């Protein structure tokens, strides 16, 4: 077991050491690579800022905005600055993008557009055949107004110097991408000349796993992310670690630093091999030593363990193994012998006291024999048990007597309580039946009240309709009265016509008498007309008399209708009040019904509680009787013990 434990510990330690070494090395590589990428981004920013600020300083020279300085002098000044800072050439364009000195229109160039907006700018590499260069521009200001754009053409060593300074290890490399993912700086300038763009190549070749892997990383770079990734090419067992970071102050540029992980993990691998060899050697040495030591210790321990095993089974008679050596095994053997001896004495003592207690004799006590060490507590516990049992039994005897007497009283009281509970249950049940009858009567009253309320509401609605009809009757009587007046005027007109006709007939008769024989026919007509006028007058008078009587009757009817209308209106008001009163009565009846319902529920709850109390009282009475019998039995049982 020692050898196995040693091997396991050594193997575990070696494995953990290898894992920790590899993990710490990997973490250190990632951390250093991330910091290298961040520092490279800052270095690129500083170098770009140096050039752009240099151009800005040149652009701030008053010579460029002085109208008294000729174009040739300005161009000479610019070229002198270009030569001083090792730049190829320089130019000055107006706000329209025209460079008069070089007779060139640069209005569509990004470096001109950015500078025209008041910003210093460094472009991505321009490729002209086999020539490659970058453009740096800055606005020419007069106060806060942009008067033109100063630009210079520079070699790409500005960016290449950053990349060449980031050579890490033998296979490490670095490169810079623009915002489109195009390589703008790399150790191999041919990639820059070819405008290599892995993202576009991967989109054109979706089945190329290597391109897809690199394109995913460069997509994160183009997105402006900062990070560290580990990847490997398909079919290639080597692993690469790449860190990338955006370059501040640029138009979406990002820099990446790439190393071969195996190159940097090789020292850790050699260290792991040495560590494994040391662990194997240590295991072999431990095996040899432990074999010798374990045999000298294990054999006596095995014999002692066997004796302890028999002791654990209750064997106090077998002999204890003897060990001749003077080491810990001898101490173990002597301790086991002493333990067996002490156990024997203690067990005998405890057996004697407990045997007496089992026989009902509580007067036995420990003899005071020596109990070693913590075993002294057993002697104390035996004395405490004897004393407590004596006190407990004495208390039980006294309590059993009291319980026996009290239980009889409790039984009598429980019986009386049970009888009272039964009577109370009957009274509550009778009260519950009475409340139930009241609840039914209240519900019937509520139902009849609701019907009466409905009937009164219907009568009120009918009276409302009658009031409407009486109003219409009043309107009709008023129309009849108005028509009677019109008829009276018509009759007066007829009387006037009859009177005029009568006068005309009289005049006609006079004229007929004067005419003699010739006017006899006319006299006959005049008589007929006079007779007709007389009849018309009589008929008009008779009609007038009838109309007068009708008008008087209509007036009398109108008065009666008005009185009826007033009475009906009063009845409608009384009916409305009756409806309101019936609604109040209905609500009151509903409230009484609810209250009776609550009372009924309360009575039912009281009835349940009383019944439960009755059952509890009966159970208490039965329990008291049983308790009295058990108290007597307990007193008899305690009487079998012999107390101090």
């Amino acid at each position: 077991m020692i050898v196995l434990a040693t091997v396991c510990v050594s193997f575990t330690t070696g494995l953990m050491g290898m894992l920790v070494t590899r993990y710490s090395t990997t973490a250190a590589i990632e951390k250093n690579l991330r910091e290298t990428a961040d520092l490279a981004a800052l270095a690129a920013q500083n170098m770009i800022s140096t050039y752009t600020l240099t151009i800005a300083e040149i652009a701030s020279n008053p010579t460029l905005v002085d109208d008294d300085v000729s174009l040739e002098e300005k161009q000479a000044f610019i070229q002198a600055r270009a030569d001083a800072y090792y730049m190829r050439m320089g130019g000055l364009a107006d706000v329209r993008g025209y460079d008069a000195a070089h007779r060139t229109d640069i209005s569509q160039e990004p470096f001109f557009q950015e500078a025209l907006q008041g910003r210093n700018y460094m472009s991505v590499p321009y490729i002209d055949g086999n020539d490659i260069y970058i453009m740096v521009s800055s606005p020419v200001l007069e106060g806060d107004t942009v008067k033109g754009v100063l630009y210079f053409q520079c070699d790409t060593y500005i960016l290449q110097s950053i990349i060449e300074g980031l050579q890490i290890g033998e296979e490490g490399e670095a490169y810079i991408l623009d915002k489109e993912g195009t390589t703008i700086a790399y150790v191999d300038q041919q990639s820059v000349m070819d405008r290599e763009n892995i993202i576009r190549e991967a989109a054109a070749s979706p089945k190329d796993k290597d391109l897809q892997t690199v394109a995913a990383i460069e997509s994160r770079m183009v997105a402006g992310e900062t990070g560290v990734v580990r990847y490997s090419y398909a079919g290639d067992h080597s692993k690469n670690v790449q860190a990338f970071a955006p370059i501040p102050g640029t138009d979406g540029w990002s820099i990446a630093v790439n190393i071969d992980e195996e190159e940097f993990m090789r020292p850790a691998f050699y260290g792991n091999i040495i560590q494994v060899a040391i662990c194997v050697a240590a295991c072999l040495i431990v095996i040899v030593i432990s074999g010798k030591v374990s045999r000298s210790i294990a054999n006596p321990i095995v014999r002692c363990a066997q004796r302890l095993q028999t002791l654990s089974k209750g064997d106090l008679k077998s002999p204890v193994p003897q060990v001749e050596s003077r080491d810990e095994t001898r101490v173990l053997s002597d301790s086991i012998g002493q333990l067996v001896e002490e156990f024997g004495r203690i067990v005998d003592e405890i057996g004697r006291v407990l045997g007496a207690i089992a026989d009902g004799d509580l007067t036995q006590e420990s003899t005071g024999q020596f109990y070693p060490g913590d075993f002294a507590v057993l002697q104390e516990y035996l004395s405490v048990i004897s004393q407590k049992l004596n006190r407990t039994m004495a208390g039980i005897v006294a309590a059993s007597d009291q319980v026996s007497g009290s239980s009889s009283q409790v039984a009598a009281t429980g019986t009386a309580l049970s009888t009272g509970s039964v009577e109370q249950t009957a009274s509550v049940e009778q009260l519950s039946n009475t409340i139930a009858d009241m609840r039914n009567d209240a519900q019937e009253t509520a139902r009849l009240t609701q019907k009466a309320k409905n009937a009164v509401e219907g009568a009120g609605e009918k009276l409302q309709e009658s009031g409407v009809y009486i109003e219409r009757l009043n309107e009709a009587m008023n129309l009849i009265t108005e028509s009677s007046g019109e008829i009276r005027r018509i009759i007066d007109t007829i009387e006037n016509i009859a009177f005029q006709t009568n006068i005309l007939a009289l005049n006609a008769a006079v004229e007929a008498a004067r005419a003699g024989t010739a006017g006899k026919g006319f006299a006959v007509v005049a008589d007929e007309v006079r007779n007709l006028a007389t009849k018309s007058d009589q008929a008009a008078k008779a009609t007038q008399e009838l109309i007068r009587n009708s008008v008087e009757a209509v007036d009398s009817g109108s008065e009666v209708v008005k009185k009826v209308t007033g009475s009906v209106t009063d009845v409608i008001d009384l009916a409305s009040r009756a409806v309101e009163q019936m609604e109040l009565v209905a609500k009151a009846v509903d409230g009484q019904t609810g209250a009776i319902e609550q009372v009924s529920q309360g009575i039912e709850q009281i009835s349940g509680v009383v019944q439960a109390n009755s059952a509890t009282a009966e159970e208490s009475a039965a329990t008291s009787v049983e308790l009295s019998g058990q108290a007597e039995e307990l007193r008899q049982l305690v009487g079998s013990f012999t107390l101090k």
Side-chain angles (χ1 to χ4, degrees), residues 6-7 10 275-289:
T6 304
V7 172
S10 299
Q275 190 173 10
V276 170
I278 293 174
C279 289
V280 172
C283 289
L284 293 176
I285 295 172
V286 169
I287 290 173
V288 173
I289 296 175

Side-chain angles (χ1 to χ4, degrees), residues 367-414:
T367 59
Q369 188 176 359
F370 176 72
Y371 284 71
D374 292 337
F375 290 107
V377 179
L378 294 176
Q379 181 183 8
E380 182 180 353
Y381 286 165
L382 285 175
S383 299
V384 171
I385 288 173
S386 178
Q387 295 173 4
K388 287 188 176 181
L389 281 176
N390 276 277
R391 289 196 299 269
T392 301
M393 290 300 176
I396 290 174
V397 171
S400 61
D401 293 337
Q402 294 180 359
V403 169
S404 179
S406 300
S407 60
S408 300
Q409 297 178 359
V410 172
T413 304

Side-chain angles (χ1 to χ4, degrees), residues 491-507:
I491 292 173
D492 291 338
T493 303
I494 293 173
E495 287 180 349
N496 290 332
I497 293 172
F499 179 73
Q500 295 293 332
T501 303
N502 196 10
I503 293 175
L504 290 174
L506 181 60
N507 290 334

Side-chain angles (χ1 to χ4, degrees), residues 291-523:
K292 294 181 178 180
V293 175
S294 61
R295 282 192 296 271
S296 63
I297 298 175
N299 292 334
I301 291 178
V302 168
R303 293 196 299 271
C304 292
Q306 292 173 351
R307 182 63 187 92
L308 287 174
Q309 186 176 12
T310 58
L311 178 62
S312 66
K313 295 179 180 179
D315 184 5
L316 297 175
K317 305 300 183 182
S318 297
V320 177
Q322 299 298 320
V323 178
E324 300 299 332
S325 64
R326 297 182 179 181
D327 55 9
E328 290 80 2
T329 55
R330 173 69 176 270
V331 176
L332 177 62
S333 175
D334 295 343
S335 298
I336 292 175
Q338 186 178 359
L339 178 64
V340 172
E341 183 180 358
E342 296 296 338
F343 268 11
R345 291 201 302 267
I346 292 171
V347 169
D348 291 341
E349 178 76 11
I350 293 174
R352 182 181 61 79
V353 176
L354 293 181
I357 293 175
D359 294 335
D361 184 5
L362 301 181
T363 60
Q364 295 294 326
E365 292 183 354
S366 176
T367 59
Q369 188 176 359
F370 176 72
Y371 284 71
D374 292 337
F375 290 107
V377 179
L378 294 176
Q379 181 183 8
E380 182 180 353
Y381 286 165
L382 285 175
S383 299
V384 171
I385 288 173
S386 178
Q387 295 173 4
K388 287 188 176 181
L389 281 176
N390 276 277
R391 289 196 299 269
T392 301
M393 290 300 176
I396 290 174
V397 171
S400 61
D401 293 337
Q402 294 180 359
V403 169
S404 179
S406 300
S407 60
S408 300
Q409 297 178 359
V410 172
T413 304
T415 302
L417 177 62
S418 176
T419 303
S421 298
V422 171
E423 295 177 356
Q424 188 177 13
T425 301
S427 301
V428 170
E429 184 176 359
Q430 183 178 1
L431 178 60
S432 176
N433 294 332
T434 303
I435 293 297
D437 294 338
M438 292 175 63
R439 179 178 61 189
N440 295 333
D441 293 341
Q443 291 176 350
E444 183 65 21
T445 302
R447 185 178 62 80
L448 295 176
T449 302
Q450 185 64 33
K451 286 185 177 180
K453 187 179 98 170
N454 295 336
V456 171
E457 289 178 351
E461 293 176 356
K462 293 298 182 181
L463 286 174
Q464 293 287 347
E465 294 179 1
S466 299
V468 173
Y469 293 148
I470 289 174
E471 289 293 334
R472 294 180 181 176
L473 179 59
N474 279 326
E475 294 176 358
M477 293 300 293
N478 291 331
L479 292 174
I480 292 172
T481 302
E482 293 176 358
S483 299
S484 299
E486 294 293 332
I487 294 171
R488 188 180 296 111
R489 287 193 293 274
I490 294 171
I491 292 173
D492 291 338
T493 303
I494 293 173
E495 287 180 349
N496 290 332
I497 293 172
F499 179 73
Q500 295 293 332
T501 303
N502 196 10
I503 293 175
L504 290 174
L506 181 60
N507 290 334
V510 173
E511 293 297 330
R514 289 181 182 176
T517 305
K520 289 183 179 180
F522 187 71

Side-chain angles (χ1 to χ4, degrees), residues 223-243:
E225 296 184 18
T226 300
V228 178
V229 294
R230 304 171 68 182
Y231 68 96
S232 60
Y233 292 113
D236 188 355
H237 297 291
S238 64
K239 296 182 180 179
N240 298 321
V241 182
Q242 180 168 316

